[in-house]
Amino acid sequence: MTYFLRRPGRFALVAAILAAATGAQAQDEIYIEEILVTAQKRVQNLQEVPVAVTAYSGQMLQDSAIKDMRELATIAPSLRSNQSQNSTTSSFGIRGIGTSTQNFGLESSVGIYIDGIYRSRQSAIINNLIDIEAVEVLRGPQGTLFGKNTLSGALNIRTVKPDHERNGFIEVTGGDFNLVNISAAGNVSLVEDVLAARATVFTGNRDGYVAELSRGEDVLNDRDRLGGRLQFLYTPTDNVEVRLIADYAEIDEVCCAALTRVNNFFGFGGVPGSDFGLANILGVPVITGDRFEDYVMALNELPRSTNEDKGLSLELSLDIGDATLTSISAYRAFDSTDFIDADFSAGDLLFDQNLSEQSSFSQELRVDGSFGEAGNYLFGVYYFTQDLDNFSTLTLGGDAATILPLNPLLQQLNPLLDGINALNALSGGLYPAVGNSFPEGSFSTDVMRQEHESVAVFGQMDFNLSDSLVLTAGLRYTDEKKTLNSSFLNSPLGPPLDIPAAFAVATGIQIWSINPALPGALDPTNPANAPIIAGGFGPFWAPGWGIYLFPTLAPQASSLDEIDDDQVTGTVKLSWFATDDLMFYASYGTGYKSGGTNTDRIAPVFSQVFGPETSDAIEVGMKADFPGANLRVNVAVHDTQIEDLQTNAFTGTGFNLQNAGNADTRGGEIDLWWQPTELFELQLSYAHNQADFEDFLNGTCWVATPFLTGTVDPGFDGPPGSFNPSTSTCNRSGDRVSSNPEDSFYAGLQQSFRLGDATRGYIRAEYSYLSDTMTDGNNEPLKLRPSFDFIHARVGLEFEELGTDLSFWVRNATDERFYETVFDVPAQDGKLNAYPHEPRTWGVTVRKHFD
């Protein structure tokens, strides 16, 4: 980020009052820093942009010991980051709205851009933030200039550009859990004032903090990351600039731990659950919910998460008179391999392996300039094409046939199964015994291949209506085409179940000749009756019949789905510059996220195709500087209506991805920055975002509460006695949108001090607070996360003559044991697990500058 000193403003009286009220001794040479952002795809002063933007410089990331985007979310109140079963399921949300990454067919609600290049996979940015110029969090729909998949906001990340000055650093960090991070960057002037290069490299390793007890030595949630970036900047004339960037990053980690929150030893009425079977039948360790804060779990296989992200981009800027022509071409690839113990227990039940390959090419061409004093303009075209291949295999382990039948769905079949066994005994072996419901090694494999093409035309203009009034208007037209070829494969299985027919044979035809009181009973020992009886019960004699009862395993027909959609998004903004240091603005904007296809195996009651998601937002804001007090206050109030919100909730046997209907997110945000003296700085940020479903008729039902207490989900309006969490739908209208703390607050305080003429010291403390949060889409009370807060701190020394910084830092100083998503453990109704955040960590960082 670039800073410039700003002239004193007109609020002399207000500034004096603020300075007196706080006891600050403002000095003439201290002015509010001018922060330059690219929130409207051209360099502008933050305080003159009619967009709610919070900008974080590379220096601030360093001061706060921020190393990745997930850590940044802890100090950015309107930004949320979630990570679930592996590193490639990381996701982001802004103002209460985000998109799960648990489905191959979903795209982000938050547009992610690095050096102007769109990243279609949210997990592509979770690696280390190294050599960063700035991170801008743009709040609210950005559909005009940034395009689709920005209906809740955008993340705009800029890396440090090459230049011809001697500029670079080497940084080494060590800490607890055997943390070792090493990074370095530097410029090289290859041809003076014509060709410069910059190289950036990093590596990071740290042990995990979750212990796996059944092995006694393994730990989960470690860090193993590396990457690099090579850039060239070519400036043959003052009017031409060419920037070439090649980057590569990889992650190879034991991730991610899911700790027990609620056990299911017994359900309502004493029905045994999976934990009872694991402990008393298999005799494997079962971790109880009261040990959640111990960060321990038991697995029979460790999760593994690896991914590679790489790309090549070319940016050309050409000044033509009062206009600039910019071309950005980019190729990107993101490949991942994930393996998880899908039953999250020490039992040998379920394993899931997922391999994904993504490659894309994008081309943006835009021109921006001015109409002189009349205003500015920006017009452009954008092309994006992408190939996505996903291969997912779910495999049954040797204990599946023992534990999975404890699921309530199968327990309802026990009377029927007992009857079949009695029939077999009565017939003297005329019929075979009931087959193994879940044979070891049975699998389901999903092969998804998607081709995607997007074309857009966009433009935005600023009209100077007067010296103090600016009208901004913009439109974007987007055309989307997707073709998805889905193949759902299975290991060999017998015929599918027809449970109604089986019950009909059992009760209507009345085969139970062992009860002679029933008239018309068929004699099962008579071979002549075998075809009728076999027609009802035949599938139960074939191994693997239980697989048909679980949507994530049950056979499904292959499909070819095509989506052809277009959308117009736009914005209108009015900015009033009341003084040099005070701006008010009002804006209306729209956002758009394309539809897709559910690439998970799901219950037939749910649709396989979901439609696009759109947003309409009204925002009113103020940006004010009080130069005499060196105070900046930015305020935004918003109301966003979202139609056909795409939601994805886990039912215990599969993900339910669908358009929820309409949702509304509304609230306000305040950013305050104050530096009354050269040595003291205070930052405050507060966000209130209330996000609720206005109408959501076919939502996902509660799973754990009905099993544990017998309480039916109050949103269920079906016939009495027909409630089944796996196949029923429930009305979620009026419920909270998940993963949204309605109130979040951040305070950062830094006090510097001089230690002689050549040494500066500082103490920095940060406090963050998040209110209670519904963590899953079915809004089950057991999944409500309580409010929590945490503290980060850093003490540093800057040896100016040596160009060396030494700092001691601690994150989550009070060791708060908080967590992210709470979810229903697959096929184990009543059991809930959650993904934990990091405990307290500390370290020492040494940074050597070369300037």
Side-chain angles (χ1 to χ4, degrees):
M1 183 175 298
T2 304
Y3 296 94
F4 297 95
L5 292 181
R6 192 169 182 187
R7 65 188 181 279
R10 301 177 180 175
F11 287 127
L13 178 60
V14 176
I17 294 173
L18 288 170
T22 58
Q25 300 297 318
Q27 302 176 27
D28 292 340
E29 69 272 14
I30 300 175
Y31 299 118
I32 298 175
E33 293 173 316
E34 182 179 56
I35 300 175
L36 301 182
V37 298
T38 56
Q40 296 192 121
K41 295 209 169 181
R42 63 177 186 270
V43 178
Q44 291 178 282
N45 179 353
L46 171 68
Q47 296 303 96
E48 297 175 356
V49 178
V51 178
V53 183
T54 303
Y56 302 90
S57 69
Q59 183 62 48
M60 181 178 177
L61 299 180
Q62 182 182 342
D63 290 344
S64 299
I66 300 296
K67 293 303 180 186
D68 59 33
M69 290 301 300
R70 286 178 47 75
E71 291 181 349
L72 177 64
T74 66
I75 68 170
S78 284
L79 175 65
R80 296 272 66 81
S81 174
N82 290 300
Q83 181 172 290
S84 51
Q85 61 195 34
N86 49 60
S87 64
T88 52
T89 54
S90 299
S91 61
F92 298 90
I94 293 178
R95 288 182 171 173
I97 301 300
T99 299
S100 167
T101 53
Q102 291 282 358
N103 193 288
F104 174 72
L106 279 168
E107 299 184 66
S108 176
S109 296
V110 176
I112 299 169
Y113 297 83
I114 300 181
D115 292 323
I117 309 301
Y118 174 61
R119 302 293 183 95
S120 63
R121 300 286 99 179
Q122 299 181 67
S123 300
I125 68 163
I126 67 168
N127 216 313
N128 289 12
L129 287 172
I130 301 297
D131 208 20
I132 299 298
E133 179 184 355
V135 178
E136 301 169 14
V137 181
L138 284 60
R139 307 189 294 272
Q142 306 296 322
T144 304
L145 293 180
F146 287 89
K148 71 185 185 75
N149 302 338
T150 60
L151 87 170
S152 65
L155 296 174
N156 191 21
I157 303 170
R158 290 180 279 130
T159 65
V160 176
K161 293 173 64 173
D163 62 42
H164 295 274
E165 300 297 326
R166 186 172 183 263
N167 177 281
F169 69 88
I170 296 175
E171 181 180 282
V172 178
T173 296
D176 60 344
F177 298 105
N178 292 319
L179 170 69
V180 178
N181 286 341
I182 302 174
S183 60
N187 291 322
V188 176
S189 181
L190 301 175
V191 179
E192 185 176 359
D193 297 328
V194 175
L195 181 61
R198 185 175 184 87
T200 305
V201 295
F202 69 88
T203 180
N205 293 274
R206 190 206 65 198
D207 292 343
Y209 54 88
V210 175
E212 198 288 305
L213 297 185
S214 65
R215 299 167 180 267
E217 57 185 21
D218 295 316
V219 292
L220 293 84
N221 292 12
D222 65 341
R223 290 285 181 90
D224 188 353
R225 303 177 177 185
L226 62 86
R229 184 166 55 246
L230 181 62
Q231 305 183 64
F232 295 92
L233 184 67
Y234 177 56
T235 52
T237 70
D238 293 340
N239 299 326
V240 177
E241 179 179 292
V242 180
R243 186 183 183 188
L244 178 67
I245 306 175
D247 66 274
Y248 175 85
E250 69 176 44
I251 292 176
D252 185 359
E253 298 174 350
V254 180
C255 183
C256 299
L259 310 181
T260 304
R261 287 291 300 169
V262 177
N263 292 95
N264 69 340
F265 285 100
F266 292 97
F268 181 73
V271 176
S274 61
D275 281 336
F276 174 84
L278 291 168
N280 296 282
I281 300 176
L282 299 183
V284 299
V286 173
I287 308 300
T288 54
D290 58 2
R291 299 198 64 188
F292 180 85
E293 295 190 359
D294 296 336
Y295 282 1
V296 295
M297 64 183 307
L299 298 170
N300 65 310
E301 291 287 346
L302 294 179
R304 198 79 194 179
S305 184
T306 66
N307 62 60
E308 291 184 349
D309 179 51
K310 54 190 174 184
L312 182 67
S313 67
L314 180 67
E315 179 178 353
L316 168 65
S317 295
L318 177 63
D319 291 336
I320 309 172
D322 293 333
T324 299
L325 177 67
T326 302
S327 170
I328 303 178
S329 310
Y331 167 81
R332 298 218 58 84
F334 181 77
D335 301 331
S336 63
T337 301
D338 305 302
F339 175 84
I340 64 170
D341 185 345
D343 55 88
F344 301 94
S345 76
D348 183 17
L349 276 68
L350 296 168
F351 306 97
D352 187 33
Q353 185 172 31
N354 193 80
L355 292 83
S356 297
E357 298 177 355
Q358 180 267 351
S359 61
S360 65
F361 172 79
S362 63
Q363 173 64 56
E364 182 173 37
L365 185 66
R366 66 177 188 264
V367 59
D368 67 275
S370 69
F371 302 113
E373 296 183 357
N376 303 298
Y377 64 86
L378 188 152
F379 299 103
V381 295
Y382 182 76
Y383 174 77
F384 178 79
T385 182
Q386 175 178 231
D387 289 331
L388 291 169
D389 295 329
N390 191 76
F391 310 89
S392 177
T393 299
L394 188 63
T395 305
L396 292 174
D399 296 331
T402 302
I403 301 302
L404 295 187
L406 295 176
N407 185 279
L409 180 63
L410 272 77
Q411 291 189 40
Q412 295 177 22
L413 295 178
N414 284 339
L416 179 61
L417 299 176
D418 291 341
I420 297 174
N421 289 329
L423 169 70
N424 296 333
L426 183 66
S427 66
L430 182 60
Y431 307 98
V434 173
N436 184 348
S437 55
F438 298 100
E440 181 177 6
S442 297
F443 64 86
S444 63
T445 298
D446 305 340
V447 181
M448 310 292 174
R449 300 181 183 276
Q450 177 178 284
E451 295 179 357
H452 177 197
E453 187 176 60
S454 178
V455 179
V457 181
F458 61 93
Q460 181 168 297
M461 290 184 286
D462 296 332
F463 301 96
N464 296 328
L465 303 180
S466 69
D467 290 342
S468 61
L469 207 58
V470 178
L471 175 66
T472 301
L475 283 176
R476 187 184 190 103
Y477 171 77
T478 303
D479 183 80
E480 288 275 308
K481 291 182 174 62
K482 294 181 181 179
T483 301
L484 179 64
N485 193 329
S486 307
S487 299
F488 301 97
L489 311 175
N490 277 80
S491 53
L493 292 173
L497 293 179
D498 188 349
I499 294 178
F503 272 108
V505 170
T507 59
I509 302 178
Q510 298 171 351
I511 66 169
W512 309 120
S513 59
I514 55 176
N515 185 356
L518 293 176
L522 294 175
D523 181 3
T525 64
N526 184 350
N529 294 327
I532 298 175
I533 297 172
F537 294 135
F540 288 96
W541 296 323
W545 59 266
I547 289 173
Y548 289 95
L549 300 176
F550 287 83
T552 52
L553 292 165
Q556 185 171 318
S558 299
S559 64
L560 178 64
D561 298 284
E562 295 184 354
I563 296 175
D564 192 346
D565 188 29
D566 58 8
Q567 190 78 23
V568 175
T569 51
T571 187
V572 176
K573 306 172 184 177
L574 185 63
S575 305
W576 176 42
F577 294 86
T579 72
D580 289 346
D581 303 299
L582 176 63
M583 180 188 75
F584 295 95
Y585 69 91
S587 68
Y588 169 77
T590 61
Y592 160 71
K593 183 152 75 77
S594 60
T597 301
N598 190 336
T599 57
D600 284 320
R601 300 194 186 203
I602 54 175
V605 69
F606 300 120
S607 173
Q608 195 72 24
V609 177
F610 59 91
E613 175 181 329
T614 59
S615 64
D616 296 82
I618 297 173
E619 180 173 308
V620 178
M622 179 197 77
K623 297 188 175 184
D625 286 348
F626 303 91
N630 226 33
L631 173 70
R632 171 169 293 155
V633 180
N634 292 346
V635 179
V637 178
H638 66 90
D639 190 315
T640 304
Q641 297 287 326
I642 301 168
E643 295 186 4
D644 299 319
L645 178 66
Q646 297 168 6
T647 62
N648 197 30
F650 190 63
T651 67
T653 57
F655 284 96
N656 172 18
L657 170 57
Q658 60 178 312
N659 294 99
N662 297 335
D664 178 53
T665 174
R666 56 202 177 277
E669 300 146 341
I670 300 175
D671 289 328
L672 181 148
W673 180 85
W674 182 45
Q675 188 174 1
T677 72
E678 184 181 1
L679 300 177
F680 179 81
E681 180 180 334
L682 174 67
Q683 294 168 294
L684 299 176
S685 296
Y686 169 74
H688 174 77
N689 292 301
Q690 184 174 343
D692 303 303
F693 294 113
E694 292 186 339
D695 60 271
F696 188 1
L697 299 180
N698 296 314
T700 304
C701 298
W702 297 356
V703 178
T705 299
F707 175 84
L708 296 172
T709 68
T711 303
V712 175
D713 189 323
F716 180 67
D717 57 3
S722 64
F723 176 74
N724 187 322
S726 299
T727 57
S728 299
T729 62
C730 293
N731 187 348
R732 300 265 74 94
S733 301
D735 286 350
R736 297 169 59 174
V737 174
S738 64
S739 300
N740 173 49
E742 292 187 352
D743 294 287
S744 52
F745 175 76
Y746 165 78
L749 169 68
Q750 182 164 315
Q751 176 67 60
S752 301
F753 48 88
R754 302 297 307 185
L755 296 174
D757 295 334
T759 302
R760 185 181 80 97
Y762 65 89
I763 299 174
R764 184 178 182 87
E766 297 177 323
Y767 171 83
S768 294
Y769 165 83
L770 295 177
S771 63
D772 60 14
T773 306
M774 179 52 65
T775 64
D776 195 30
N778 70 352
N779 271 255
E780 192 160 5
L782 290 171
K783 298 177 181 178
L784 183 68
R785 181 183 67 191
S787 62
F788 64 92
D789 53 12
F790 50 91
I791 296 173
H792 307 318
R794 187 181 184 97
V795 178
L797 295 173
E798 297 177 358
F799 303 98
E800 295 167 351
E801 290 185 349
L802 299 176
T804 302
D805 302 341
L806 173 66
S807 61
F808 303 84
W809 52 265
V810 58
R811 296 186 60 80
N812 188 12
T814 57
D815 201 23
E816 291 293 319
R817 299 302 173 99
F818 53 102
Y819 52 91
E820 296 184 14
T821 302
V822 181
F823 65 96
D824 297 282
V825 178
Q828 301 177 66
D829 288 7
K831 188 172 184 177
L832 299 176
N833 280 21
Y835 296 101
H837 269 280
E838 292 182 354
R840 177 174 50 237
T841 57
W842 58 266
V844 180
T845 298
V846 179
R847 185 182 182 96
K848 170 65 177 176
H849 300 272
F850 302 95
D851 295 322

